[in-house]
Amino acid sequence: MRTRKRIAVFLGEIGRDYQKNFIREVAKVAGSRDYDIFVFNNFGAYNATELFDIGERDVINIPVFSEFAGIISLPDTFDIDGMEQMLIDKIRKESDCPIVSIRNGSSRTNRIVFDNHGTLYEMTKHFIDEHGFKNICFMSGPLNVEDSVRRLKGFEDAMKDAGLEVTDDIIIEGDFWKYVSKAAADKFLKAYDGKTEAIICANDYMALGLMEELESRGVRIPEDIAISGFDETVEGAASSVALTTVAIPIVQMATKAVDTIEELIGGAVITSDIELKGTIIPKCSCGCCSETTKTDFTAIINRWTEEYVSVRRSTQFMTDIQNQITEIDKLKFINGYNDPFQLKRMYLCLCMDDREDDKPYSDTMLLKTIFPFDEERMRNPIIDHPFPRKDILPEGYYDSSKPLCHVVFPVHYKNTTFGYLVSEWSDKDITIFIAPYGEGIAYAYNDLALQAQFSELVDIKKQNLIDPLTGISNRRGFEQSISDLMLKEYSSDTYISFLSVDLDNLKTINDTYGHAEGDVAIVSVAQVLSEVVTENNTCARVGGDEFYAIVCSEGSDQKEEIRKRFYELLEEKNKEINKEYTLHASVGIHTVAIGLMDRAFEHLQMADRLMYEAKRKYKEQL
């Protein structure tokens, strides 16, 4: 019986440093206070199709929010329009638990925000006070983003307080990436009449792009122009000139998030945002080189090597998963990819068939398997244990004696949701490989769904070619069989016998014993004819009591042997069914050499004429 309280965390792209570092700290803090943590992660928008975005957004539909004591949201990591609003709406519909947003977010939540203004103010003061720069330019982020606006205001206020003028020619709007680097270099090299001393950028990636562009033009960093970034990325630390930056106070944010949830649970009323400042990390790009600014490049190179391997393995994984046919084969293949990555325990939970049309997840889920396989799972990977989705995982399959931290990923193909994957948390295991790993599982189950649909279509097609009463081919099926037979290769001494068979006295049987007995008679003749033809030949019911068959034989014309066998089997059938009436059928057989097979329907007409002649002779004997 579960007694420990739960906290849910919602974020995107958990493989990134900021997200992983935040979860590491939240897990420490919440675990020390005896909370279970469930991190609900997606990997964001995919520009090629909105259907994929729907499947990613539906991660908010996995938890039942009434089961959680509090929610922590990192909305600036979401990459899907409207997701934050939908998340809040769903939480409020199901629960009154507290919602804490980190760095920014809706005013409908309690926010722990980063002091973008104050921290950028301090960075600008560092350039002015510590280095004596006056000709300072600024590269902002997109000005439709609140963080960008606040950082720009921090720069402007610090310049103003230092008595330095801020004009349009020293500011450019960037994109939080490197695409504006060339335009920024063009503008800043002209600013201050070509005497720019320093450039402050609103994030590391823009700073790195600008450094590359300036260095390509012969500008030395920091000797000619000093540069800083923001957000402390690994790439900035590994740059040829270590980048001065700002460290986000992740430990304080994680701790304050759990503190705030506990305060709100206890009845506290918090009416204003909680602001935390970052820490300036001076490095060589602003001229603050020292022994303390050296970077552990070995760790960085090891990480990049691991990520390169992850990319290579991801390509192989996504390709090869589709070569596995059965569900068991696919699961064993997926399990094989745990070995090189040493992933923690992972639970694959699939939707049941009883979900409502408007719900992406069923109320009852099925624990399909657990990766990596133990010895028992290697023999039979499938568990198939049903459990309530509100539990996220079924009890008894994990160690509930200690606080948990699990990461939950949606498993979907476009907007078709198959279930979710739950992984025990380990910041070493959660790499960029986790995204294609989850997508590969979705591809596997999409393949299985397509196979099932195809099999169903094949069955329907077969039913259209089968006579429902006798189980042998109908006329359409017989025509298809003739086409197939004509494509086969035969030896030159092969003979083809075309049989036309008509049940005699069916009307009398129907009138005297009833139509059910008439059906027995028809089925019996069909069974006899099926025994006459061999595996590679065919027979069909082409009318009420009319049958066709084709029999191949090698070396000679065997029509008399075929006729004799038919009547012998028919006599045995009469003894078997032991009816008051006697089954009899008229048979016409026309045999030709294989070279004349292409005129099959003409030969069937000849067999028909022979059958009617046999029927006339039979009636004359009565």
Side-chain angles (χ1 to χ4, degrees):
M1 182 69 180
R2 173 167 53 86
T3 57
R4 192 176 293 109
K5 290 182 179 180
R6 295 177 162 189
I7 293 175
V9 181
F10 281 85
L11 51 75
E13 298 189 81
I14 196 170
R16 292 183 177 272
D17 288 333
Y18 164 62
Q19 289 89 316
K20 289 206 298 184
N21 292 338
F22 183 84
I23 295 305
R24 182 195 304 118
E25 298 305 326
V26 163
K28 286 180 184 177
V29 175
S32 69
R33 303 182 193 182
D34 205 35
Y35 286 95
D36 286 341
I37 296 292
F38 282 89
V39 181
F40 296 92
N41 171 81
N42 65 13
F43 297 102
Y46 178 58
N47 292 334
T49 172
E50 292 183 2
L51 296 179
F52 181 88
D53 300 356
I54 293 171
E56 288 289 285
R57 189 190 61 210
D58 277 334
V59 69
I60 69 177
N61 290 304
I62 296 175
V64 175
F65 289 106
S66 58
E67 298 290 314
F68 288 86
I71 313 294
I72 299 172
S73 172
L74 280 65
D76 61 347
T77 68
F78 298 161
D79 189 27
I80 298 175
D81 290 342
M83 180 170 162
E84 182 195 13
Q85 191 66 39
M86 293 180 69
L87 173 62
I88 296 171
D89 289 345
K90 191 169 192 302
I91 295 169
R92 284 292 162 254
K93 182 178 179 181
E94 295 183 9
S95 172
D96 59 358
C97 67
I99 309 172
V100 176
S101 294
I102 306 299
R103 294 217 298 194
N104 57 37
S106 170
S107 59
R108 297 166 63 193
T109 68
N110 292 93
R111 299 190 295 189
I112 298 173
V113 299
F114 181 69
D115 184 4
N116 287 287
H117 175 276
T119 306
L120 209 296
Y121 183 97
E122 294 298 327
M123 176 67 82
T124 308
K125 290 285 287 179
H126 173 79
F127 273 54
I128 296 170
D129 296 342
E130 297 296 325
H131 296 286
F133 297 136
K134 296 182 178 180
N135 298 346
I136 307 172
C137 297
F138 184 75
M139 189 175 188
S140 79
L143 293 178
N144 60 344
V145 176
E146 182 181 352
D147 288 358
S148 299
V149 174
R150 297 292 296 160
R151 292 178 189 184
L152 172 59
K153 188 67 167 60
F155 168 76
E156 291 174 335
D157 287 350
M159 293 284 283
K160 179 181 177 181
D161 290 349
L164 302 174
E165 186 180 6
V166 176
T167 57
D168 289 343
D169 63 329
I170 67 168
I171 297 173
I172 192 169
E173 181 179 359
D175 56 0
F176 280 153
W177 192 237
K178 303 179 180 181
Y179 297 126
V180 187
S181 300
K182 186 177 185 303
D186 290 341
K187 185 170 186 176
F188 294 153
L189 289 175
K190 294 176 182 177
Y192 297 109
D193 295 323
K195 297 179 181 180
T196 297
E197 299 173 298
I199 303 169
I200 297 174
C201 298
N203 86 338
D204 278 8
Y205 294 114
M206 292 189 299
L208 291 169
L210 186 54
M211 284 171 62
E212 292 171 8
E213 182 64 30
L214 291 172
E215 288 176 336
S216 72
R217 302 184 188 195
V219 177
R220 297 173 300 164
I221 310 297
E223 291 85 355
D224 298 329
I225 295 179
I227 290 182
S228 69
F230 207 100
D231 290 338
E232 195 186 17
T233 64
V234 172
E235 293 87 344
S239 175
S240 58
V241 179
L243 183 64
T244 295
T245 188
V246 171
I248 304 298
I250 293 176
V251 175
Q252 297 93 314
M253 284 183 167
T255 302
K256 197 62 182 176
V258 180
D259 287 345
T260 302
I261 285 175
E262 290 192 316
E263 291 171 17
L264 293 168
I265 291 174
V269 177
I270 302 174
T271 58
S272 60
D273 293 341
I274 301 167
E275 272 197 336
L276 299 175
K277 277 190 177 182
T279 303
I280 296 173
I281 310 294
K283 293 196 176 182
C284 295
S285 71
C286 72
C288 288
C289 287
S290 69
E291 289 296 317
T292 60
T293 64
K294 288 186 177 179
T295 301
D296 182 1
F297 287 103
T298 301
I300 293 171
I301 291 170
N302 288 340
R303 171 183 156 169
W304 285 348
T305 301
E306 289 173 2
E307 292 196 348
Y308 171 76
V309 173
S310 291
V311 171
R312 289 289 304 274
R313 298 285 288 184
S314 299
T315 303
Q316 297 167 356
F317 178 71
M318 297 292 280
T319 301
D320 293 344
I321 186 68
Q322 298 179 63
N323 294 332
Q324 313 305 312
I325 304 302
T326 68
E327 182 178 30
I328 289 178
D329 287 343
K330 288 179 183 293
L331 291 175
K332 288 183 176 179
F333 179 82
I334 293 165
N335 180 72
Y337 270 78
N338 277 274
D339 294 338
F341 291 96
Q342 294 295 304
L343 297 174
K344 290 285 187 180
R345 214 165 147 84
M346 304 184 81
Y347 305 79
L348 177 59
C349 305
L350 300 182
C351 295
M352 300 283 278
D353 293 334
D354 59 351
R355 58 180 158 178
E356 299 176 19
D357 291 341
D358 61 340
K359 290 185 177 181
Y361 295 93
S362 54
D363 292 333
T364 301
M365 300 294 292
L366 195 68
L367 176 61
K368 175 57 65 172
T369 196
I370 300 174
F371 305 113
F373 293 164
D374 55 23
E375 187 174 338
E376 180 183 352
R377 291 281 83 76
M378 287 300 295
R379 294 192 297 271
N380 181 19
I382 294 178
I383 297 174
D384 278 353
H385 181 97
F387 66 95
R389 175 169 51 85
K390 65 183 180 63
D391 292 342
I392 307 299
L393 286 174
E395 295 183 15
Y397 288 90
Y398 57 88
D399 183 4
S400 59
S401 65
K402 58 185 179 181
L404 308 173
C405 183
H406 281 144
V407 184
V408 185
F409 310 88
V411 175
H412 66 97
Y413 179 79
K414 295 183 180 178
N415 63 330
T416 300
T417 301
F418 296 105
Y420 54 78
L421 187 67
V422 183
S423 174
E424 291 182 3
W425 164 253
S426 169
D427 59 343
K428 293 181 180 178
D429 295 337
I430 304 295
T431 69
I432 59 172
F433 176 67
I434 202 67
Y437 188 80
E439 288 181 31
I441 294 174
Y443 285 2
Y445 278 91
N446 189 61
D447 285 347
L448 292 171
L450 291 175
Q451 287 177 26
Q453 292 176 16
F454 179 75
S455 297
E456 186 176 333
L457 290 172
V458 169
D459 288 342
I460 292 171
K461 184 177 180 181
K462 284 181 178 178
Q463 291 301 317
N464 288 333
L465 303 177
I466 298 297
D467 173 52
L469 176 62
T470 63
I472 64 175
S473 296
N474 57 20
R475 182 180 290 276
R476 187 182 296 107
F478 184 68
E479 291 172 352
Q480 179 64 55
S481 296
I482 289 177
S483 298
D484 293 341
L485 287 170
M486 291 176 68
L487 295 175
K488 291 184 177 181
E489 293 186 3
Y490 300 91
S491 63
S492 58
D493 61 347
T494 300
Y495 286 82
I496 307 294
S497 295
F498 296 86
L499 282 69
S500 176
V501 179
D502 192 89
L503 175 60
D504 294 319
N505 303 320
L506 178 61
K507 186 177 186 305
T508 300
I509 295 172
N510 283 334
D511 293 346
T512 305
Y513 304 101
H515 285 274
E517 284 299 324
D519 288 346
V520 170
I522 292 170
V523 170
S524 297
V525 171
Q527 291 171 345
V528 167
L529 193 57
S530 296
E531 290 188 57
V532 170
V533 303
T534 61
E535 183 179 348
N536 294 324
N537 302 316
T538 186
C539 66
R541 180 188 177 202
V542 295
D545 55 0
E546 301 169 6
F547 302 85
Y548 280 156
I550 295 177
V551 179
C552 301
S553 57
E554 291 188 3
S556 64
D557 179 350
Q558 296 184 0
K559 65 179 173 226
E560 293 308 321
E561 287 86 344
I562 295 170
R563 191 192 312 277
K564 180 181 178 182
R565 177 161 174 73
F566 176 83
Y567 282 116
E568 286 175 350
L569 291 171
L570 188 61
E571 184 177 349
E572 291 177 9
K573 179 61 70 174
N574 274 310
K575 292 177 182 178
E576 177 189 327
I577 64 176
N578 191 25
K579 298 293 183 179
E580 296 181 27
Y581 53 85
T582 300
L583 291 176
H584 189 275
S586 299
V587 180
I589 305 176
H590 177 62
T591 302
V592 298
I594 186 62
L596 299 175
M597 178 66 180
D598 58 343
R599 294 159 53 193
F601 290 100
E602 292 182 17
H603 303 316
L604 284 169
Q605 290 176 344
M606 179 60 73
D608 277 339
R609 286 197 288 271
L610 294 172
M611 180 274 293
Y612 284 121
E613 183 178 338
K615 182 178 285 291
R616 179 181 58 77
K617 291 179 180 179
Y618 170 71
K619 288 182 178 180
E620 289 175 353
Q621 295 172 0
L622 295 178

